[in-house]
């Protein structure tokens, strides 16, 4: 009989224990459900923040692209302006170079003319000097030049510069 009583008490306690477990389980399930709901809310808030951040990032990217396109077009216009300015400056430089070249040619022609005139004057002076020489022409030639005899008997000829060049007598 003791066995029967012990068995009855064991059943009674086990039923009571299982009843307590259901309330604990219900509380745990409620807590889990509450935690799940809280985590869902947190996830939704995080998703909303992520969407806002993504949208703002897209807007920033769009603005950056706009600025890049705008700066690119500005750069193109600046380059075009600089090219046009460079062409104008090149044309001006070419005109100046052509004018300078023409002036240089005129100067060269003038110098040549002046040189020819001076050469002609020098030639006539040489002829006059030769004519003014009171020395006698000996009738000889030395290196293709006429030989003259000076007042003291020295022999010389007039070189191409118009100077007297004396001939050594042996």
């Amino acid at each position: 009989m003791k066995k029967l009583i012990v068995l009855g008490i064991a059943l009674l306690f086990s039923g009571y224990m299982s009843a307590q477990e259901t309330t604990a389980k219900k509380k745990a399930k409620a807590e889990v459900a509450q935690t799940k709901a809280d985590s869902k809310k947190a996830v939704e808030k995080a998703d909303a923040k992520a969407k806002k951040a993504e949208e703002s990032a897209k807007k920033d990217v769009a603005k950056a692209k706009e600025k890049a396109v705008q700066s690119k077009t500005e750069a193109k216009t600046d380059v075009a302006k600089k090219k046009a300015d460079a062409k104008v400056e090149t044309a001006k430089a070419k005109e100046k170079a052509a004018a300078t070249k023409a002036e240089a040619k005129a100067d060269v022609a003038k110098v040549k003319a002046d040189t020819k005139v001076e050469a002609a004057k020098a030639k006539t002076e040489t002829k006059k000097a030769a004519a003014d020489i009171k020395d006698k022409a000996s009738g000889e030639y030395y290196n293709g030049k006429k030989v003259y005899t000076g007042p003291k008997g020295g022999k010389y000829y007039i070189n191409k510069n118009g100077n007297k060049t004396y001939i050594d007598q042996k």
Side-chain angles (χ1 to χ4, degrees), residues 50-120:
K51 284 182 182 179
K52 285 182 182 178
E54 186 178 333
E55 287 176 8
S56 66
K58 284 182 181 179
K59 287 180 183 178
D60 290 343
V61 167
K63 285 180 183 178
K65 283 183 181 178
E66 254 182 61
K67 286 182 181 178
V69 168
Q70 187 177 16
S71 65
K72 188 176 180 181
T73 54
E74 287 175 0
K76 283 182 181 179
T77 55
D78 288 345
V79 167
K81 286 180 183 178
K82 287 181 181 177
K83 281 184 180 178
D85 291 345
K87 285 182 181 179
V88 168
E89 288 179 19
T90 305
K92 287 181 181 178
K94 284 182 180 178
E95 289 175 5
K96 285 182 181 178
T100 306
K101 189 175 181 181
E103 289 176 8
K105 282 184 179 180
D107 290 344
V108 166
K110 189 175 182 179
V111 167
K112 282 184 179 179
D114 290 345
T115 306
K116 284 182 182 178
V117 169
E118 288 177 12

Side-chain angles (χ1 to χ4, degrees), residues 6-7 11 13 16 24 27 30 38 41-42 46 52 70 72 82 121-122 136-137 139 144 148 159 161 163 166-167:
V6 172
L7 185 65
L11 284 172
F13 280 126
Y16 184 70
K27 284 182 184 178
D38 290 343
K41 287 181 183 176
K52 285 182 182 178
Q70 187 177 16
K72 188 176 180 181
K82 287 181 181 177
K121 285 181 182 179
K136 295 181 180 179
Y148 298 95
N159 64 15
N161 295 331
N163 298 327
Y166 286 91
I167 302 170

